[in-house]
Amino acid sequence: MKIIIDRFNGTKKYESTFELSKDELVGKTLLTVLLHIKQTKDITLNFTASCRSAICGACAVRVNGHSYLACDTKMEELLKEYENPEILRISPLGNFKVISDLVVDWEPSIENLRKIKPSITAKSEFSKEKGCKQTQAEFDRISKQWDCILCGCCASECSKLEADQSDYMQPFVFTHAYRAAADSRSKDAMIHVKPSVTNRLWNCVHCQECADRCPKGISSFSDISNLRVMAMRSGLNEGEGPGHAEAFLLDMVEGDGRLNEIKLALRSEGVIKNMGKMDIAANLMMAGKMNPLHIFGGDKIEGHDELVKMIEAARKAEKQGAMK
């Protein structure tokens, strides 16, 4: 079969095609195939790899537009996933600056990690003599986040980064922010939550691609949601994002159970800002995608009373300390 690799030599992009036999693929991982190509077909091919044990995260690449950890991806399973294609295309991770071939620049991501201060400041009650003890439940709350190996697969798949990287950090950055903020040993969760909010925590577009492609089964989407909850509970509830969330809850409880999109825009952004979007609203109405009469509400959804009871029960349990 053919393996096409997207290349970059520092000035121009090009591609290299390699013909591999079945014997050169069977029993190998994607990383082993890359090593085989470099060692026997083209020594100039550049990529990064280290542990070969799915620990360091260095060998992540894209195959046919999707991210994989090369050392942890068996070729038989990969070929089966794509229904035994005649061609596979291997590319560098998306949403990263490419340095050379499959090698990408991690420095901007490291700078973003520094912003959320991923190490914790221990509570004053802890010391080197007493240690920093946790209950099993406290450990379980953050144990999955500790599995993040900074491979970049989530960032490569992120729809928000694909659209605009100027006002959003990589999903794994928020995972490490939540891990530190939710750690029971941490002196102040806001050390990590505040910079997350400042660096556009609310700009996640909820595509959940990060959760789908993480080789460790981590959901950065869930970590982002949890950081939002922590922020709002701490009084960081100004802005369009918190306004959007509050509006959604109002429609669920006090409304008819449906999101009122007309009211949502007004609640989230205010009247003045929405005056500049009248053309968009008019186009939506013309296309039948928005009914201005919906501002007055509609019939309640089936089971609305039960939904309200569930929400109220959750609020009561939270006040009593049964939920965190």
Side-chain angles (χ1 to χ4, degrees):
M1 70 172 298
K2 289 183 180 180
I3 301 288
I4 300 175
I5 301 180
D6 288 320
R7 310 285 297 272
F8 179 63
N9 64 7
T11 56
K12 69 175 183 178
K13 296 180 179 179
Y14 63 103
E15 61 183 41
S16 296
T17 301
F18 304 96
E19 292 279 357
L20 274 71
S21 67
K22 184 177 180 180
D23 290 338
E24 291 176 297
L25 299 174
V26 172
K28 292 182 172 63
T29 63
L30 176 57
L31 176 58
T32 308
V33 169
L34 286 173
L35 288 167
H36 176 70
I37 292 173
K38 183 175 180 67
Q39 292 166 356
T40 65
K41 301 180 184 297
D42 187 347
I43 198 171
T44 68
L45 176 64
N46 289 324
F47 55 90
T48 54
S50 183
C51 71
R52 301 195 191 190
S53 302
I55 295 173
C56 73
C59 64
V61 294
R62 283 187 300 168
V63 178
N64 290 1
H66 298 288
S67 303
Y68 297 86
L69 196 60
C71 69
D72 200 36
T73 301
K74 297 179 176 63
M75 287 305 298
E76 286 93 336
E77 295 176 359
L78 186 63
L79 294 172
K80 183 178 180 182
E81 181 177 346
Y82 289 108
E83 299 179 346
N84 296 310
E86 295 182 1
I87 300 173
L88 283 180
R89 178 177 290 272
I90 304 175
S91 312
L93 291 176
N95 302 320
F96 285 84
K97 177 184 176 182
V98 180
I99 297 175
S100 174
D101 295 341
L102 304 178
V103 181
V104 298
D105 183 9
W106 268 85
E107 190 55 37
S109 300
I110 300 303
E111 286 300 319
N112 283 336
L113 281 167
R114 291 190 179 107
K115 291 176 184 177
I116 55 92
K117 298 176 176 59
S119 60
I120 68 170
T121 300
K123 294 176 179 177
S124 55
E125 63 197 68
F126 297 125
S127 66
K128 62 180 181 180
E129 292 79 21
K130 295 180 180 179
C132 299
K133 295 181 179 180
Q134 288 181 300
T135 66
Q136 185 63 48
E138 290 170 340
F139 170 77
D140 291 342
R141 190 186 310 158
I142 57 171
S143 62
K144 195 63 182 175
Q145 287 72 20
W146 274 109
D147 288 340
C148 177
I149 56 175
L150 299 178
C151 64
C153 285
C154 61
S156 178
E157 303 292 325
C158 178
S159 297
K160 174 64 182 92
L161 291 176
E162 183 71 28
D164 184 3
Q165 299 186 35
S166 66
D167 60 354
Y168 193 62
M169 297 195 295
Q170 294 79 5
F172 58 78
V173 176
F174 294 114
T175 283
H176 282 272
Y178 174 71
R179 175 202 34 86
D183 195 315
S184 62
R185 302 166 296 179
S186 179
K187 185 176 184 178
D188 183 6
M190 291 300 103
I191 292 174
H192 319 286
V193 175
K194 285 182 178 179
S196 296
V197 174
T198 302
N199 288 280
R200 307 302 180 91
L201 172 70
W202 289 91
N203 280 8
C204 169
V205 297
H206 305 170
C207 68
Q208 300 198 48
E209 290 287 345
C210 55
D212 289 342
R213 300 307 304 186
C214 176
K216 296 296 183 178
I218 301 167
S219 174
S220 291
F221 169 74
S222 296
D223 298 332
I224 290 168
S225 298
N226 287 329
L227 281 171
R228 289 173 173 180
V229 171
M230 296 174 78
M232 293 188 70
R233 285 177 177 172
S234 299
L236 299 177
N237 51 14
E238 298 294 329
E240 295 177 9
H244 188 119
E246 291 283 5
F248 187 84
L249 184 58
L250 276 172
D251 288 339
M252 291 287 286
V253 179
E254 298 179 10
D256 54 25
R258 297 181 180 88
L259 182 63
N260 191 316
E261 295 184 353
I262 299 178
K263 285 185 178 180
L264 173 66
L266 295 172
R267 290 165 174 165
S268 301
E269 301 176 345
V271 176
I272 295 176
K273 192 167 184 178
N274 275 280
M275 291 297 290
K277 299 181 179 180
M278 295 301 292
D279 57 333
I280 299 175
N283 290 334
L284 289 171
M285 292 177 191
M286 291 283 290
K289 295 182 179 295
M290 180 183 289
N291 185 346
L293 296 178
H294 284 169
I295 195 170
F296 301 109
D299 296 331
K300 290 186 176 182
I301 63 170
E302 183 179 352
H304 182 261
D305 292 339
E306 287 73 18
L307 173 63
V308 172
K309 289 178 182 178
M310 288 168 47
I311 294 173
E312 293 300 330
R315 285 172 168 171
K316 184 178 180 180
E318 183 178 6
K319 288 181 180 180
Q320 293 174 347
M323 294 178 62
K324 295 184 178 180

